[in-house]
Amino acid sequence: ALPIYAPRAHERGQDLGLVAPDTPVTVAGQDTMIGLALRNLVDNALGHTPAGTHVEVRVVPEADGGVRLWVLDDGAAPDTDAAGTSPDDAGRAAAGGLGIGLTLVERIADWHGATLERENPDPAFTTAFGLHWPAQRKEAHPAPRDA
């Protein structure tokens, strides 16, 4: 999913990076839907931060067998309410988005036994959204197969 965003990041003067272990990390789920969730997170990070921003995707396997997939950026931190909702969500529609990206990501995460999290695990970044698959995850709903 990241190679399709490299030209966009370059055009906008942004840096896009990936930090992942050398060995593959797998999670149970439907790859197209998980890819859609990742694309939404990366698209939000690139689309809602200024030139000069560093956007980083991190794949973090946990010692207990869980997995975290983070999308972080060092752009300006948005104002949010206690639920983590930005007051400018409606303004995103005017900027070319529908303002439903995080809702879609959250539903995909739920469907796959993961959770959507917003926190900042690294002081070098201002915004971080992640998908977390716990080691003892709830049963994922069967997703439709790709045709």
Side-chain angles (χ1 to χ4, degrees):
L2 291 182
I4 66 171
Y5 285 104
R8 180 176 174 202
H10 179 73
E11 285 177 11
R12 294 179 49 90
Q14 296 167 312
D15 181 37
L16 178 61
L18 173 66
V19 176
D22 291 333
T23 57
V25 175
T26 59
V27 294
Q30 208 278 332
D31 62 342
T32 301
M33 296 302 289
I34 294 170
L36 178 61
L38 175 60
R39 285 190 298 273
N40 267 283
L41 293 175
V42 172
D43 190 50
N44 281 344
L46 291 174
H48 299 289
T49 58
T53 300
H54 176 69
V55 176
E56 185 171 283
V57 176
R58 288 187 187 170
V59 179
V60 182
E62 298 175 321
D64 67 0
V67 174
R68 291 183 190 267
L69 175 63
W70 287 105
V71 177
L72 308 98
D73 70 68
D74 62 358
D79 293 328
T80 57
D81 62 19
T85 304
S86 173
D88 71 339
D89 282 343
R92 291 184 181 194
L98 297 175
I100 60 170
L102 291 179
T103 301
L104 177 63
V105 172
E106 186 170 39
R107 287 191 178 168
I108 291 170
D110 287 346
W111 193 267
H112 288 86
T115 55
L116 173 64
E117 300 175 343
R118 175 168 186 186
E119 60 182 72
N120 201 341
D122 187 321
F125 294 93
T126 56
T127 307
F129 285 94
L131 297 174
H132 177 228
W133 285 266
Q136 299 295 324
R137 64 179 187 77
K138 64 185 178 185
E139 185 63 32
H141 297 281
R145 294 183 156 262
D146 288 337

